[in-house]
Amino acid sequence: MSTLKAVRGTRDLLPPETALWNRIEATARRVFERYNFGEIRTPVFEDTALFARGVGEETDIVSKEMYTWEDRARAASEKTQSLTLRPENTAGVVRAYIEHKLGETGQLQKLYYIGPQFRRERPQKGRYRQFSQIGAEVIGPPSAGSESPLRDAEVLEMLATLLDELGITGWTLHLNSVGSSADRARYNEVLRAALADVAPKMCGDCQRRAVTNPLRVLDCKVPEDQPIIEALPKIDSVLGEDSKAHFAAVLAALDTAGVPYERNLRLVRGLDYYTRTTFEFTHGGLGAQNALLGGGRYDGLSEAIGGPKAPGIGFAMGEDRLVLTLQAIEEAKAVKGDAYIAPLGESMNPAALKLARELRREGLKVELGDGSFRLKKSFEAADKVARRIVILGEDELASGILTVKEFASGTQTKVPRAELVDVLSK
Ligand code: ATP
Ligand code: MG
């Protein structure tokens, strides 16, 4: 008899790894609590129509990734029904919001969830058929302030805090606005027109999307298509005044609160329900599947599934990817030094020795390179023995500002000498 194994794309989580999962979940619960979120648990399967309407027929999730089956009637009082294992949790939360009339409280609902999701995707590192998401939603009637840009900024600030508390360094927040549903519709038409000429030169998926859902073309990862996509009209050219003002207010609040972000005009996200703010947090250590989490505003979702007007904003983090990132960071910490100092040219060697001496006396584990190495060779040597490389050249010496690259995240930053010990101790 052949031995039975866990199904492709699913896996067992065993100790000691499960301790890390529990730590991540405990940290998330603690942070959500501080922002006054409460937990919601929705069923793992739902009526297929919920996802068809809530996520969108044209999305990859609904068109090719769902686990759907006909559930046979067991009694005369039942009907055979099409059911689906949830591929995401926002649609379920909004269904529950409508079903339990949570809008009638007049209060903003702040709900979080932690649990398994299911998508029939090609399994690879960071991509599974059963995976876990940690997510949260802020939703309510407009009179409760659910459309306020401050809610968007608060959710993003909470995410930055959560990632920091988890010990995930080197993340990047990518931020965009896809505008109101009217702006989106207008942009879709602008894209459709622009794509008419160039789509035949693009990949098969893009040719199809150019007709059915032009916005999705911006998600294409095929290298040959990238120059064509870069030349397409950008979404900010069609945003209405309201959308622009809303987005500007989100950015202003983030700037004041000190949450760093990058504007990414191509970030439209894979789900149809997003309006206005959309975002993603990425981490360089994850390779091709580099999105730690994604989210955005969904002002029309409740109405799309038959509910009252209930604007909202939320996100879903890939817990499997948080685990992978933390494992890589912890592994690097356990075996590698804090820094490798790379002097640029032999004349910098004495200054490099002085810097290494000072850092080592602060308790840091430091490797010292050699100025006769080419920069590429220094990078290769450094990657093997240290978590970061610190570059020391004439400019750095004169300005007192050093270039530090962290290997796990791939991020490069300029660090004043006075802050170097702090940065390298993290
Ligand atoms: P991707 O571009 O990686 O496919 P997505 O746009 O499909 O992401 P969302 O639906 O926004 O992802 O889900 C939010 C997060 O859930 C992702 O950023 C990712 O961390 C995680 N995630 C999504 N699909 C999977 C999967 N199949 N396996 C593991 N994690 C996943
Ligand atoms: Mg996906």
Side-chain angles (χ1 to χ4, degrees):
M1 219 166 64
S2 64
T3 44
L4 291 169
K5 292 201 172 136
V7 171
R8 184 168 145 81
T10 74
R11 65 210 201 285
D12 305 305
L13 303 175
L14 306 171
E17 192 186 318
T18 38
L20 181 55
W21 285 75
N22 284 326
R23 199 180 84 212
I24 290 171
E25 290 169 18
T27 304
R29 287 177 198 280
R30 199 175 63 236
V31 171
F32 292 153
E33 179 93 0
R34 263 190 263 149
Y35 288 77
N36 203 24
F37 280 74
E39 185 179 4
I40 182 169
R41 300 188 189 193
T42 66
V44 164
F45 56 86
E46 301 259 6
D47 194 319
T48 303
L50 173 65
F51 305 115
R53 272 192 261 158
V55 180
E57 302 267 15
E58 283 304 325
T59 60
D60 283 354
I61 293 179
V62 174
S63 65
K64 49 189 190 210
E65 297 173 359
M66 294 205 305
Y67 286 95
T68 298
W69 70 98
E70 286 298 308
D71 206 49
R72 272 177 294 134
R74 295 282 309 263
S77 59
E78 284 183 348
K79 275 202 216 116
T80 293
Q81 201 182 1
S82 176
L83 301 181
T84 294
L85 287 179
R86 64 183 185 198
E88 58 90 77
N89 220 331
T90 300
V93 170
V94 176
R95 179 204 43 73
Y97 171 92
I98 298 167
E99 191 167 331
H100 303 285
K101 301 189 169 56
L102 299 182
E104 289 178 13
T105 61
Q107 303 282 314
L108 217 50
Q109 301 294 310
K110 297 163 79 174
L111 303 165
Y112 78 86
Y113 59 83
I114 299 178
Q117 317 294 333
F118 306 85
R119 297 183 194 177
R120 190 186 287 106
E121 302 201 68
R122 194 168 68 76
Q124 53 200 292
K125 183 185 170 201
R127 195 179 288 293
Y128 312 98
R129 291 182 170 179
Q130 173 173 335
F131 59 100
S132 176
Q133 284 185 335
I134 300 177
E137 316 291 350
V138 181
I139 179 171
S143 60
S146 56
E147 285 183 278
S148 166
L150 187 56
R151 299 282 77 86
D152 306 42
E154 186 184 30
V155 162
L156 291 164
E157 187 280 322
M158 176 171 81
L159 282 165
T161 297
L162 174 54
L163 291 176
D164 287 347
E165 292 204 10
L166 284 169
I168 295 184
T169 49
W171 47 261
T172 307
L173 161 57
H174 304 263
L175 199 53
N176 194 19
S177 174
V178 293
S180 64
S181 53
D183 296 338
R184 256 181 100 129
R186 218 167 335 129
Y187 187 48
N188 252 323
E189 288 324 305
V190 169
L191 280 181
R192 204 187 300 276
L195 283 164
D197 291 339
V198 291
K201 288 181 246 161
M202 303 180 79
C203 71
D205 276 343
C206 281
Q207 297 191 16
R208 186 174 46 80
R209 294 174 186 136
V211 182
T212 59
N213 194 353
L215 212 61
R216 296 262 64 77
V217 167
L218 303 187
D219 269 351
C220 174
K221 307 256 156 59
V222 175
E224 294 75 34
D225 289 356
Q226 300 312 308
I228 302 179
I229 295 170
E230 286 303 324
L232 290 171
K234 300 283 185 291
I235 186 133
D236 55 346
S237 62
V238 304
L239 290 186
E241 287 310 314
D242 283 0
S243 301
K244 276 191 192 150
H246 191 275
F247 194 51
V250 175
L251 301 187
L254 290 176
D255 289 339
T256 304
V259 177
Y261 58 85
E262 278 178 19
R263 180 80 193 271
N264 180 346
L265 288 165
R266 271 182 60 175
L267 185 76
V268 292
R269 312 261 315 116
L271 290 77
D272 277 355
Y273 52 58
Y274 287 113
T275 50
R276 301 203 265 199
T277 311
T278 54
F279 56 86
E280 225 167 68
F281 282 71
T282 58
H283 196 275
L286 281 165
Q289 272 59 250
N290 69 353
L292 282 175
L293 69 98
R297 187 166 263 293
Y298 44 82
D299 294 336
L301 177 57
S302 170
E303 287 148 295
I305 57 179
K309 190 170 168 59
I313 178 157
F315 63 84
M317 326 181 67
E319 194 177 358
D320 307 70
R321 294 187 194 175
L322 294 178
V323 168
L324 284 171
T325 306
L326 283 173
Q327 282 171 334
I329 291 173
E330 279 168 24
E331 197 177 275
K333 255 192 188 158
V335 297
K336 291 186 172 181
D338 298 310
Y340 178 104
I341 297 170
L344 285 185
E346 282 170 74
S347 64
M348 296 308 296
N349 275 347
L353 179 65
K354 176 168 180 278
L355 180 61
R357 169 179 160 90
E358 289 163 6
L359 295 177
R360 285 164 174 158
R361 288 190 167 216
E362 291 282 350
L364 291 166
K365 185 168 166 181
V366 173
E367 278 280 354
L368 181 57
D370 190 292
S372 68
F373 287 5
R374 286 174 178 278
L375 199 53
K376 184 160 176 287
K377 182 171 170 189
S378 292
F379 267 93
E380 285 164 4
D383 198 7
K384 291 198 187 93
V385 296
R387 292 186 286 142
R388 311 181 189 84
I389 186 167
V390 179
I391 295 163
L392 184 64
E394 302 280 358
D395 290 349
E396 282 80 5
L397 199 60
S399 66
I401 297 175
L402 296 128
T403 304
V404 178
K405 178 168 173 167
E406 187 181 71
F407 293 114
S409 63
T411 48
Q412 190 159 311
T413 43
K414 299 264 180 214
V415 182
R417 175 62 188 90
E419 291 165 28
L420 193 60
V421 174
D422 268 358
V423 169
L424 299 180
S425 320
K426 273 199 200 133

